[in-house]
Structure formats: C-alpha cells, structure tokens
Amino acid sequence: MTPEQAMPAGAAGPVATDMAALEPLKTVKRRWPAIIGGLLTLAMVVGLGRELFGRGLVGLSHSVPTNPLFYVVFVGLYMALPIGDYIIFRRLWGIPVSGLAALIRKRIANEVAFSYSGEAYFYAWARAHAKMVAAPFGAVKDVGILSAIAGNAITLLMVALALPVGRELLTHEQLRLVWGSIAIVMATSLPFLIFSRRVFSLDRKTLWWIFTVHCVRLIVNSLLIALAWHFGMPDVSLGMWLFLSAARLLVSRLPLVPNKDLLFANFAILLIGQDQALSELIAFTAALTLLVHVVLIALFGLMELVRRVRA
C-alpha cells in the first residue's frame, strides 16, 4: 500500500499542505504591483498635503494673469512631460490613451513625493498591465536614464549659449559653483555612455529615438514657459523670456547650486527689473501647478473609486 493509499480520506497530506501555505505568497506576488502603486499614491497625497500646508496656494493670491492665452499655454506646459513619455511608451508598448493618466501620476510623484518615485509608480502600473507590457523594467529604466542624459545635454548647450552673456552677472563664488556643477553634470553622464551596452536594454536605434524625443520635449517646454511668462508680463519681450527660460533650465540642472529658485529669480530681476511683478508671476505659476496636481489626484482617485464600485 502506498503512503497516499494509507492516508485517511479527507487528509490534506504534506504536498497539499505545502501548496496551501504557498497560496498567500502567490497572492502577494500577484498583487505586489497594486500594493506598490497604492503606497506611492499615498506618498503623492502626503507630498501634496505637505506642499499645501507648507507653501500652500498663497501664490494664487498674487496678481493673476488676465490674458487667457497664459492658461492655454500653461496647459501645454503642464502636459508636455506626460505627452512626451506617452509618445515614447506608445511606440514601445502600444499603451492606450488611459496610460496617459499613469504618466501624469508619474510626473506628480516625482515632483511632490521623492526623486524617481514616479518611475517606480509607472513600473508598478506596467507590471499590473503585464498582458499588454513585456519586460517593463528595462524600458522604464532606459527611458529614465535617457531623460537625465538629455537634460544634461541640453543644460550643457544652454551653458555654452548663456555663460558668455551672463557671466558678468554672477559673483565669483556663483561662477565657481557653476563650473563645478558642469563638471558633475558631465561626469554623471559619461559612465552611461561608456558602458551603454551593459546599461541599456533597448536597441541603439530605439535609444537614439527616445533621446531625440526627450530633447525635443525639453526645448518645447522651454518655449512654452517663455510664452506663458510673456503672456503674463507682456511688457517684457519674448526674446528676453526665451533667454530667461534657458537660464531657468540651466539653473535647475546644476547640482551644486543651492537655492536654485532664488538664484534664478535674482538673475531674472537683474535683467528685467520689476522684481515684485516677476516674483508674483513665478509664485502664481508654481501655485497653479500645485493646484492642478491636487485636482488631478482627486479626479483620478474618484475615477478609481467609481471603477471599483461598478466592478
């Protein structure tokens, strides 16, 4: 008589018991993308709450631009990053339009939670849509690295264009920090280029295409913010706003420069004056971005709740 035949009817047996013990692990493994996505969504909500109770929406109480074109351009400015990512992942994975919502959350997470939390959120979203997405980690990693390299490349281009013009406006200490930051920007990009075959998962042609999309998106973003500021303060020429937009991109990417917003504001005031109007415009733009973050997170949460209720 075999052990299975000797076993009383209804007894689970060691194999069945082991399989039953593994069921919770299988459930956790199957649901971990949703768990991570939920935790990162909670981090977004906490980050937005911190921004609201810290800085708040005080910028909205400042002088409000009256030109409707400011708000039209602002929508394009806000959507430039998620649309750029959507174009990339649409080609890589064929994601539907609904994936744009996940990419908007990716942007919000990176801005209000912590660095690269947006990439973690989008990776969890991609794993949750595994039937549609194959090997998402490599693609998300490559796109994130190329975004940073494109930002560094555009920054170095802006340095080459802006530094000869603006070096007289910088103190010796600020100029030293700029040169040190340039060295770090170059140093952080070189390893990825030298060891590209080991770092990247996608083929070279696709990598160059993604890099080009990121560069175009950064240039479009700079043009849009210059237009928005021009419509907010039309007495300043569009050419000056384009120069300041390039300076803003440059300052935002330099790692050793402290108080980046303050440095950019001081630089802009030196060029165009009107310190109160300029400060209010910058504060209003930042506060409006935060308000849109809050509205979209609330809207996405409501849509998810309705979907679950219907399910």
Side-chain angles (χ1 to χ4, degrees):
M1 180 180 295
T2 64
E4 288 79 4
Q5 292 172 332
M7 191 177 299
V15 176
T17 302
D18 290 344
M19 293 300 293
L22 289 175
E23 284 302 318
L25 295 178
K26 290 182 178 179
T27 301
V28 172
K29 185 177 180 180
R30 185 169 60 250
R31 294 182 179 178
W32 76 261
I35 294 172
I36 291 180
L39 291 175
L40 290 171
T41 299
L42 179 62
M44 285 186 244
V45 174
V46 172
L48 287 170
R50 183 186 59 199
E51 293 287 335
L52 286 172
F53 288 106
R55 237 178 7 195
L57 299 176
V58 65
L60 294 177
S61 64
H62 293 156
S63 179
V64 177
T66 56
N67 192 333
L69 291 177
F70 171 88
Y71 302 96
V72 173
V73 174
F74 176 84
V75 172
L77 178 64
Y78 187 91
M79 293 299 297
L81 177 57
I83 287 177
D85 284 342
Y86 177 78
I87 291 172
I88 292 171
F89 287 106
R90 176 73 178 180
R91 173 169 171 173
L92 294 180
W93 297 339
I95 64 173
V97 177
S98 59
L100 190 59
L103 291 167
I104 294 174
R105 289 188 179 186
K106 170 177 171 285
R107 174 196 167 157
I108 296 174
N110 281 334
E111 292 187 7
V112 304
F114 48 90
S115 297
Y116 296 106
S117 60
E119 277 68 23
Y121 173 85
F122 189 65
Y123 173 63
W125 177 88
R127 287 302 302 264
H129 295 74
K131 293 181 180 179
M132 178 188 67
V133 177
F137 177 77
V140 173
K141 168 182 63 69
D142 288 0
V143 172
I145 292 174
L146 287 172
S147 177
I149 293 176
N152 291 344
I154 297 296
T155 297
L156 294 176
L157 177 62
M158 292 299 101
V159 168
L161 295 176
L163 197 56
V165 179
R167 65 182 303 168
E168 299 299 327
L169 300 174
L170 301 176
T171 65
H172 176 74
E173 179 65 20
Q174 290 173 338
L175 194 59
R176 187 179 66 83
L177 289 174
V178 168
W179 285 117
S181 298
I182 291 171
I184 292 178
V185 167
M186 295 179 67
T188 54
S189 298
L190 284 177
F192 296 107
L193 300 177
I194 295 173
F195 303 104
S196 60
R197 291 186 178 181
R198 298 191 177 189
V199 172
F200 295 110
S201 306
L202 301 172
D203 61 272
R204 188 175 297 273
K205 181 179 179 181
T206 302
L207 292 174
W208 274 110
W209 179 80
I210 294 172
F211 176 79
T212 302
V213 172
H214 281 311
C215 288
V216 171
R217 187 255 306 165
L218 287 166
I219 294 171
V220 169
N221 192 80
S222 297
L223 292 174
L224 288 175
I225 197 167
L227 280 171
W229 285 342
H230 176 64
F231 291 134
M233 292 179 61
D235 51 330
V236 179
S237 68
L238 180 59
M240 179 59 72
W241 283 126
L242 287 171
F243 179 77
L244 287 174
S245 176
R248 174 182 174 271
L249 177 63
L250 170 61
V251 170
S252 68
R253 302 290 302 190
L254 297 180
L256 293 182
V257 177
N259 299 321
K260 294 179 175 63
D261 292 338
L262 180 61
L263 175 62
F264 169 71
N266 290 337
F267 180 74
I269 289 169
L270 284 173
L271 285 180
I272 67 174
Q274 306 183 51
D275 53 340
Q276 182 177 355
L278 178 62
S279 298
E280 289 182 351
L281 179 60
I282 294 175
F284 178 82
T285 305
L288 186 58
T289 302
L290 177 59
L291 178 61
V292 174
H293 286 345
V294 173
V295 171
L296 287 177
I297 285 295
L299 180 61
F300 292 148
L302 181 61
M303 291 170 62
E304 182 66 17
L305 179 62
V306 171
R307 186 188 68 81
R308 290 180 179 275
V309 169
R310 288 181 176 178

